[in-house]
């Protein structure tokens, strides 16, 4: 991809270089299905075709692992089910003859977003399908009377691991529905409504973002960039 995402007439999406937000491409929803990456909270059914007594449903732990007999903890977060299946075949090669294993997602509790700042009920909430930042704010009870709706921050971990933000003018979309062309949210997106203009990204990240996210989100937004996200 060579072009940056245009999120709509009322959104500023030009990446700005800083310690936390390196200049990189912010890719738009391109209509292509992406491989589903497992995350903490998801549940997978692990099916052993030749040793059914090992079959079990496992919820992915906050550290991203699942634990199975004989092989212990196996990393599942930020991997596709097929990648976890391949890892289990390798892990059980020394324990079983010709291990045949399937990994099947059966529950998707990682479908969450976080809305913080000047909203009535900030916190983590379920992502109920394809919603936009305005709908997320409404789900959080709407703006407080101290909110700055012209500079709402949307933060997202991109498929390559980089962390990106856009600043969205939700107020314009409220005043003129023709301008409310907001991008659909993805799981683990963070919406932050500031009290005043976001003038300094680094200070914002240091004072709020890094200290206020729930454990599931802070792990996913590991600033080292080691975690893949979708």
């Amino acid at each position: 991809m060579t072009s940056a995402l245009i999120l709509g007439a009322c959104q500023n999406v030009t990446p700005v270089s800083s310690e936390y937000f390196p200049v990189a491409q912010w890719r738009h929803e391109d209509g292509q299905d992406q491989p589903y990456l497992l995350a903490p909270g998801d549940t997978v059914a692990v099916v052993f075709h030749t040793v059914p007594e090992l079959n079990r449903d496992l919820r992915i732990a906050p550290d991203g692992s699942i634990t199975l007999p004989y092989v212990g903890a196996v990393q599942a977060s930020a991997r596709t089910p097929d990648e976890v299946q391949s890892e289990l075949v390798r892990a059980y090669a020394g324990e079983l003859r010709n291990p045949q294993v399937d990994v099947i997602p059966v529950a998707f509790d990682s479908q969450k977003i976080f809305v913080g700042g000047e909203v009535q009920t900030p916190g983590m909430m379920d992502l109920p399908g394809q919603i936009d930042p305005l709908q997320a704010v409404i789900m959080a009870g709407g703006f407080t009377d101290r909110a700055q709706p012209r500079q709402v921050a949307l933060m997202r971990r991109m498929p390559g691991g980089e962390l990106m933000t856009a600043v969205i003018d939700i107020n314009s979309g409220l005043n003129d529905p023709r301008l409310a062309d907001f991008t659909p949210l993805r799981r683990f997106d963070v919406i932050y409504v500031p009290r005043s203009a976001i003038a300094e990204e680094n200070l914002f990240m240091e004072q709020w973002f890094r200290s206020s996210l729930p454990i599931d989100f802070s792990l996913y937004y590991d600033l080292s960039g080691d975690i893949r996200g979708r």
Side-chain angles (χ1 to χ4, degrees), residues 38-42 59-65 77-78 108-114 124-126 157 187-190 209-210 212-223 227-229:
L38 298 167
D42 288 345
R59 183 181 173 91
I60 299 175
D63 66 358
S65 68
S77 182
F108 302 91
D109 291 347
S110 67
Q111 301 298 308
K112 305 213 181 263
I113 57 174
F114 187 84
M124 187 164 58
M125 59 189 64
D126 292 330
R157 175 72 75 184
R187 65 174 178 158
F188 293 120
D189 278 358
V190 174
F209 182 75
R210 298 181 70 181
S212 300
L213 291 181
I215 182 65
D216 287 352
F217 275 69
S218 61
L219 286 171
Y220 191 81
Y221 277 87
D222 173 16
L223 295 180
I227 300 178
R228 284 191 299 171

Side-chain angles (χ1 to χ4, degrees), residues 64-83:
S65 68
I66 55 176
T67 302
L68 295 106
Y70 307 118
V71 299
V74 174
Q75 188 66 23
S77 182
R79 289 179 164 182
T80 67
D82 285 347
E83 288 172 337

Side-chain angles (χ1 to χ4, degrees), residues 20-53:
Y20 300 111
F21 299 122
V23 171
Q25 180 184 349
W26 178 294
R27 186 174 64 83
H28 181 50
E29 300 280 354
D30 55 13
Q32 300 296 317
D33 290 335
Q34 300 294 320
Y36 183 81
L37 300 181
L38 298 167
D42 288 345
T43 300
V44 294
V46 181
V47 179
F48 292 81
H49 293 282
T50 56
V51 193
E53 58 267 29

Side-chain angles (χ1 to χ4, degrees), residues 23 31-33 43 45 58 62 71 83 94 102 114 119 124 127 137 146 149 153 156 164 167 182 191 221:
V23 171
Q32 300 296 317
D33 290 335
T43 300
L58 297 171
V71 299
E83 288 172 337
D102 281 335
F114 187 84
V119 293
M124 187 164 58
L127 181 61
V137 169
R146 300 179 301 274
R156 176 176 297 169
M164 298 299 296
V167 177
F182 306 128
I191 299 294
Y221 277 87

Side-chain angles (χ1 to χ4, degrees), residues 46-226:
V46 181
V47 179
F48 292 81
H49 293 282
T50 56
V51 193
E53 58 267 29
L54 294 179
N55 293 352
R56 60 204 62 216
D57 289 353
L58 297 171
R59 183 181 173 91
I60 299 175
D63 66 358
S65 68
I66 55 176
T67 302
L68 295 106
Y70 307 118
V71 299
V74 174
Q75 188 66 23
S77 182
R79 289 179 164 182
T80 67
D82 285 347
E83 288 172 337
V84 178
Q85 182 265 346
S86 296
E87 176 68 20
L88 292 181
V89 169
R90 289 191 293 270
Y92 276 96
E95 305 292 336
L96 303 175
R97 179 181 299 176
N98 188 26
Q100 299 179 30
V101 187
D102 281 335
V103 175
I104 305 168
V106 295
F108 302 91
D109 291 347
S110 67
Q111 301 298 308
K112 305 213 181 263
I113 57 174
F114 187 84
V115 183
E118 294 298 330
V119 293
Q120 298 293 339
T121 54
M124 187 164 58
M125 59 189 64
D126 292 330
L127 181 61
Q130 193 173 81
I131 66 169
D132 61 32
L134 172 57
Q135 291 167 314
V137 169
I138 294 172
M139 288 173 58
F143 296 112
T144 69
D145 56 8
R146 300 179 301 274
Q148 171 54 269
R150 294 185 180 278
Q151 287 199 318
V152 176
L154 165 61
M155 287 162 281
R156 176 176 297 169
R157 175 72 75 184
M158 303 303 290
E162 65 271 27
L163 182 60
M164 298 299 296
T165 91
V167 177
I168 303 169
D169 184 354
I170 288 181
N171 194 64
S172 293
L174 288 171
N175 293 334
D176 186 346
R178 294 173 301 176
L179 299 178
D181 184 21
F182 306 128
T183 187
L185 297 180
R186 297 177 180 174
R187 65 174 178 158
F188 293 120
D189 278 358
V190 174
I191 299 294
Y192 177 78
V193 180
R195 179 174 298 185
S196 58
I198 301 176
E200 176 54 58
E201 278 183 311
N202 288 356
L203 182 62
F204 164 67
M205 286 289 291
E206 188 69 32
Q207 291 185 344
W208 183 85
F209 182 75
R210 298 181 70 181
S211 61
S212 300
L213 291 181
I215 182 65
D216 287 352
F217 275 69
S218 61
L219 286 171
Y220 191 81
Y221 277 87
D222 173 16
L223 295 180
S224 68
D226 293 336

Side-chain angles (χ1 to χ4, degrees), residues 9-28:
C10 51
Q11 302 187 33
N12 170 19
V13 295
T14 303
V16 177
S17 182
S18 73
E19 177 183 355
Y20 300 111
F21 299 122
V23 171
Q25 180 184 349
W26 178 294
R27 186 174 64 83
H28 181 50

